[in-house]
Amino acid sequence: MASSDALMARFLALHPRTIDLSLGRIERLLSRLNHPERRLPPVIHVAGTNGKGSTIAFMRAILEAGSLAAHVYTSPHLVRFHERIRLGGIGGGQFVDEDRLADAFSRCEAANAGEPITMFEITTAAALLLFSESRADVLLLEVGLGGRLDATNVIAQPACSVVTPIGRDHAEYLGDTVESVAAEKAGIFKRGCPAVIAAQDYAEADAVLCRHAEAVGATPILIGNQDFSAHEERGRMVYQDETDLFDLPRPRLAGRHQLVNAATAITALRAAGFGDIGNAALERGLTEVDWPGRLQRLGRGRLAAQLDPGAELWLDGGHNIDGGRILAAAMADLGERSDVPLVLIVGLLSTKDADGFLRNFVGLARALIAVPITTSMAARPAEEVARIGEGVGLSTRTAPSVEAALEQVKDIAFEQPPRILICGSLYLAGLVLAANDTPPV
């Protein structure tokens, strides 16, 4: 049997456009596979611009703490494609192994019979096939791009739909206004299904999401003073909805925004019929949750070993304007607790608003070192990232790699060991985890 990598290389030739939003091709393929999308456990479908992965990570951690099995589908991966497909199991699921993945790819390739289909569509079909053949209590399904025409939007009746915070991203596919992006995300709402709407940064997004939910007959569940809320109190997280109040540990994932993601996860689980998960599972889930590459502190590994004593190394794959704002706020919070110099090591894609992303760090970062991203054809040259950074008011330089950038940090005369944040792209985050020898598990 061909390897999964060899099969994916063949898939690229079937429809060379990386992104081509449509449901027709995947619906055709799923029909030939005897409709695995109709043979799944209850599905919680998650769309949004930022926070999708963290919200799913919280749900998985809580479910597994409650002795339930959760399938998980996320994208993109950081190091290996297999990270996208986690097969559920009591006590914790596992990434799909190579033999099962290659077999599912082979069956999808045979069923597709050489007809046009995108890489994401055929691999999503393979994931749904695998999920349909393995027992679990729930499937946590992340939208790839948008929602309305995303390949994951073939689930007729999810147990719950979720939309995390929406911002401007992928304008070439979703439109260049918050309203247009929100309308695409709202395309996952289904009649009679709960629609959990997380705190939005833009009032117009809230309005569009609520209007679309009501139009299709979904039941909107809103954060804030309406249906559920969360706030920090004395180092704890207080969650409240219409029926219960929980005094919980502060989430393990760093950043104020993770309170909203955790609250959204709890609400989605309760709305999807998992309301009997007890306080013990909620507490354990919040404290054991793991989501690599998102405000992750790298305290060990080959890159971490390069640092001078006392220096900190952080990693985040955030890459859009709103993700940068959230990331900068998290770094500012850390700075309030320990006022150390912040150095950015940044790689960005040409498809992202580099100016808007970097402006979030003006007045916060003492230096920026731009590096190339060697795993993407769309990567900006490091020199271009440095020029953009200089243009917004950051002190910039370049390095040929992350390893070289870390060596450059040692040459900068700071009054105390710095806090180093590697950010700007999930592609870069994957390179860092591989180089640090700390792959996702």
Side-chain angles (χ1 to χ4, degrees):
M1 182 189 301
S3 70
S4 61
D5 288 342
L7 286 159
M8 283 192 288
R10 294 211 292 263
F11 295 164
L12 284 172
L14 294 174
H15 194 67
R17 285 192 62 184
T18 304
I19 298 172
D20 182 7
L21 298 179
S22 169
L23 291 180
R25 292 181 296 269
I26 190 170
E27 287 175 340
R28 180 199 69 228
L29 177 55
L30 291 173
S31 176
R32 294 177 181 177
L33 293 168
N34 195 27
H35 291 291
E37 81 281 9
R38 299 177 186 175
R39 296 179 275 113
L40 299 170
V43 174
I44 299 179
H45 199 190
V46 183
T49 304
N50 295 302
K52 300 189 298 295
S54 296
T55 299
I56 286 176
F58 279 119
M59 286 193 283
R60 178 174 74 84
I62 292 167
L63 287 161
E64 290 180 350
S67 298
L68 296 172
H71 292 326
V72 184
Y73 186 60
T74 56
S75 61
H77 58 277
L78 293 175
V79 179
R80 298 181 71 220
F81 182 91
H82 305 60
E83 299 163 33
R84 298 183 182 214
I85 303 172
R86 183 184 290 269
L87 298 176
I90 302 300
Q94 299 289 330
F95 295 144
V96 63
D97 63 45
E98 170 63 15
D99 287 346
R100 293 186 72 176
L101 182 62
D103 175 68
F105 280 178
S106 294
R107 286 186 283 160
C108 288
E109 182 182 44
N112 189 63
E115 296 198 45
I117 197 161
T118 66
M119 170 75 79
F120 186 72
E121 289 164 351
I122 197 167
T123 54
T124 296
L128 296 176
L129 185 61
L130 287 163
F131 294 142
S132 74
E133 295 171 347
S134 181
R135 195 202 72 79
D137 298 290
V138 63
L139 166 58
L140 307 176
L141 183 66
E142 181 185 356
V143 166
L145 178 63
R148 181 175 63 92
L149 295 175
D150 184 75
T152 63
N153 200 25
V154 291
I155 308 302
Q157 198 74 8
C160 179
S161 300
V162 182
V163 176
T164 62
I166 287 172
R168 296 179 180 90
D169 202 3
H170 301 292
E172 65 272 37
Y173 303 107
L174 306 180
D176 58 2
T177 67
V178 169
E179 291 92 339
S180 64
V181 176
E184 291 297 321
K185 309 288 186 185
I188 69 169
F189 295 157
K190 302 295 193 303
R191 180 170 300 279
C193 300
V196 175
I197 300 172
Q200 299 296 320
D201 298 314
Y202 303 96
E204 53 267 45
D206 258 326
V208 170
L209 292 170
C210 289
R211 185 164 64 248
H212 277 254
E214 292 167 358
V216 301
T219 305
I221 302 173
L222 307 172
I223 197 169
N225 297 324
Q226 301 190 49
D227 300 309
F228 70 103
S229 64
H231 66 275
E232 187 172 357
E233 187 174 310
R234 298 178 182 177
R236 304 273 293 175
M237 171 179 158
V238 178
Y239 170 90
Q240 185 171 10
D241 59 21
E242 291 181 327
T243 58
D244 290 295
L245 184 147
F246 295 105
D247 177 19
L248 299 166
R250 199 185 189 289
R252 178 188 180 201
L253 300 184
R256 282 176 286 172
H257 61 291
Q258 295 296 0
L259 269 71
V260 172
N261 292 333
T264 303
I266 294 169
T267 302
L269 290 174
R270 290 163 69 82
F274 298 96
D276 57 349
I277 291 179
N279 195 79
L282 293 175
E283 291 201 4
R284 184 178 161 197
L286 294 184
T287 55
E288 295 184 358
V289 63
D290 184 49
W291 189 227
R294 284 76 169 183
L295 263 179
Q296 178 182 3
R297 184 169 179 180
L298 301 177
R300 60 182 179 84
R302 286 184 290 175
L303 296 181
Q306 283 189 240
L307 306 182
D308 285 334
E312 297 178 11
L313 184 60
W314 292 77
L315 175 66
D316 192 275
H319 49 264
N320 54 48
I321 294 175
D322 295 301
R325 175 180 49 75
I326 292 167
L327 186 53
M331 289 294 107
D333 284 347
L334 289 174
E336 289 180 2
R337 298 176 211 164
S338 56
D339 187 17
V340 300
L342 175 65
V343 178
L344 303 180
I345 297 176
V346 180
L348 288 161
L349 300 185
S350 60
T351 54
K352 304 302 176 183
D353 185 345
D355 184 284
F357 179 83
L358 294 175
R359 281 186 186 278
N360 290 293
F361 299 95
V362 174
L364 182 65
R366 297 273 289 275
L368 180 155
I369 305 174
V371 296
I373 303 173
T374 57
T375 51
S376 173
M377 297 286 289
R380 289 182 188 271
E383 294 75 14
E384 181 182 334
V385 174
R387 285 196 300 271
I388 295 170
E390 187 175 359
V392 302
L394 293 167
S395 174
T396 67
R397 56 176 71 188
T398 64
S401 66
V402 169
E403 291 89 340
L406 291 173
E407 290 301 315
Q408 285 192 23
V409 173
K410 297 177 182 179
D411 298 331
I412 304 174
F414 291 120
E415 62 277 10
Q416 55 185 311
R419 176 174 293 122
I420 303 162
L421 171 64
I422 305 173
C423 63
S425 169
L426 285 169
Y427 286 99
L428 181 61
L431 285 170
V432 169
L433 290 175
N436 196 51
D437 200 24
T438 51
V441 294

